[in-house]
Amino acid sequence: MARRQHLPEVPLATSLLLLCAASTPSSRIGGFPALDEGLDARGAHDAAACRLPPGFDNHVLCSPSRAAAQTAQAMGLDASVEVALVDMDAGRWTGRSFADLSAAEPAALSDWIADPTQGTADGETMESVRQRVGGWLDGMAQSPGCVCAISHAMTIRAALAHALGFPLVTTPAIDIAPLSAVRLSFNRIWRLQAIAPH
């Protein structure tokens, strides 16, 4: 009688879709949105027309920002709040436009534009965002299945740096527009599957 061969067990994969929240007035004109800033009319319209790939609508998480919650609502999704997905804290610049800051603090704004990974003078650095969202990603890697997470451009950039191991200084070169979708999978290591604009 032939001996049955035991194949090594292959762990189930985690599929993660990082969806950037739809546009707000700040993202439209350039600025640092407040946590309670909602979508603009175009953002709400675009989110209502956006659909997730099959399977990702069963487990949806979102940043505690109003824009992320409204994005989920416009898409008809039932989302649970995940604090790790919150946008990069801009400190005293929160709620202010680039035009306003250019007039009030031109040197400080120029420094931030030259290297946004350092954050604003009293805000969060990209490294602190990477640690926050990276801890969450490490937990997600142990949870097989499909998950959609609605977050923000800087947080998604930090998540990519953590998952793929590239330097934070390169992250500003990654264009994450409103409703862009970044798809990652985890099976022993994280892999980037796609970055798709809306």
Side-chain angles (χ1 to χ4, degrees):
M1 181 175 177
R3 189 174 177 182
R4 180 175 295 175
Q5 183 180 4
H6 291 280
L7 297 175
E9 185 175 333
V10 178
L12 295 174
T14 299
S15 291
L16 177 62
L17 188 73
L18 296 168
L19 182 68
C20 189
S23 63
T24 67
S26 291
S27 67
R28 189 76 62 187
I29 65 170
F32 299 91
L35 198 62
D36 63 353
E37 181 177 57
L39 303 181
D40 61 12
R42 177 66 182 272
H45 176 271
D46 289 347
C50 188
R51 294 291 176 265
L52 296 180
F56 283 94
D57 54 355
N58 295 323
H59 188 183
V60 181
L61 305 171
C62 74
S63 155
S65 75
R66 186 178 175 204
Q70 288 183 339
T71 298
Q73 184 178 23
M75 294 176 66
L77 302 172
D78 183 16
S80 300
V81 172
E82 172 51 63
V83 176
L85 298 172
V86 73
D87 202 358
M88 188 176 188
D89 182 0
R92 70 175 186 273
W93 287 4
T94 300
R96 299 177 69 183
S97 69
F98 292 164
D100 173 36
L101 290 166
S102 181
E105 301 182 56
L109 181 63
S110 292
D111 288 345
W112 180 85
I113 290 171
D115 185 7
T117 64
Q118 295 305 308
T120 63
D122 60 347
E124 195 175 17
T125 66
M126 187 66 99
E127 174 57 25
S128 63
V129 179
R130 188 201 63 75
Q131 291 180 18
R132 164 168 47 86
V133 75
W136 172 78
L137 268 176
D138 292 344
M140 292 303 301
Q142 308 307 314
S143 305
C146 296
V147 178
C148 173
I150 302 172
S151 188
H152 309 276
M154 294 300 272
T155 307
I156 293 172
R157 290 182 180 112
L160 281 169
H162 182 84
L164 304 177
F166 54 72
L168 286 169
V169 71
T170 65
T171 60
I174 304 171
D175 189 15
I176 306 289
L179 293 175
S180 291
V182 174
R183 190 163 177 171
L184 297 168
S185 67
F186 184 89
N187 193 335
R188 297 187 177 91
I189 62 170
W190 283 108
R191 293 177 175 85
L192 175 62
Q193 295 186 313
I195 298 181
H198 172 64

